[in-house]
Amino acid sequence: MAPPVRSAGYSDDEYESEPADRPATGRLDEAELNRLAHAAAGGDRRALERLLAAVTPVMVRYCRARTGGRPVGLQTPEDIAQEIGMAICTALPRYRLGDTPFMAFAYGIAGNKVADAFRAAGRDRSSPTDTIPESADPGADPEHIVVSDDLFARARVLIERLAPQHREILVLRIALQFSAEETARIIGSTPGAVRVAQHRALNRLRSWADELGG
């Protein structure tokens, strides 16, 4: 069965309307995605539109999971997801049906784009905002902001210390709610190896967090 397809334009409300406990792949059929990608790689524009409509919400959730839902330098998670979509379009002519599942192909691009965003943010020390506030925010306690930002920074540093594959497994399994079988197909592994890697990654995070706490 073909995955339900929404229009190519997505509002933030549409992203947030997805049930939190619904599996990330609940509306994505792997075989259909592979078929659409193959057709799009051959120049089928309708297939490309359907492919992007199906994949874009998942890429947004992926970017939000990798960034903690916060801007990275000048880029929001949605900005990064848009870049991923453009990069997928550029790379599609290289996609070959049967060589690798399309989602593995897409997540390889997504991981590189998120890493690029963090590298760029390391060189950019600005603090972007969409609008200039007319008055001070009475709830914006400076100490609370500093503590909140510090906790987020520490958590991100710990996650980024993980091996790249372990980091991807946690994002796919926990943030995006992929099954071990789905995750294994995406990263080119086995369900058993995915479960073991997830267990080890979580244990490392706990150990590092305890060290910081001590």
Side-chain angles (χ1 to χ4, degrees), residues 70 140-154:
R70 299 189 178 203
D141 174 21
E143 182 177 355
H144 174 76
I145 292 174
V146 170
V147 171
S148 176
D149 285 348
D150 181 60
L151 288 175
F152 170 73
R154 290 187 184 188

Side-chain angles (χ1 to χ4, degrees), residues 1-4 24-38 51 54-55 95 97-105 107 178-188:
M1 180 183 296
T25 54
R27 64 181 181 283
L28 301 180
D29 179 85
E30 182 177 303
E32 178 69 4
L33 281 177
N34 293 344
R35 187 193 67 78
L36 287 172
H38 178 65
L51 184 69
V55 170
Y95 178 76
L97 186 64
D99 287 354
T100 186
F102 170 73
M103 289 306 292
F105 179 82
Y107 276 115
F178 278 79
S179 69
E181 290 74 16
E182 291 168 325
T183 301
R185 287 196 295 271
I186 288 171
I187 67 172

Side-chain angles (χ1 to χ4, degrees), residues 129-182:
T129 180
D130 291 335
T131 59
I132 300 175
E134 296 180 1
S135 60
D137 180 359
D141 174 21
E143 182 177 355
H144 174 76
I145 292 174
V146 170
V147 171
S148 176
D149 285 348
D150 181 60
L151 288 175
F152 170 73
R154 290 187 184 188
R156 185 170 67 78
V157 166
L158 291 182
I159 292 172
E160 293 300 319
R161 283 176 62 184
L162 291 170
Q165 189 175 74
H166 285 187
R167 187 167 58 239
E168 290 299 302
I169 286 172
L170 289 189
V171 170
L172 295 171
R173 290 281 288 131
I174 297 174
L176 299 183
Q177 301 179 31
F178 278 79
S179 69
E181 290 74 16
E182 291 168 325

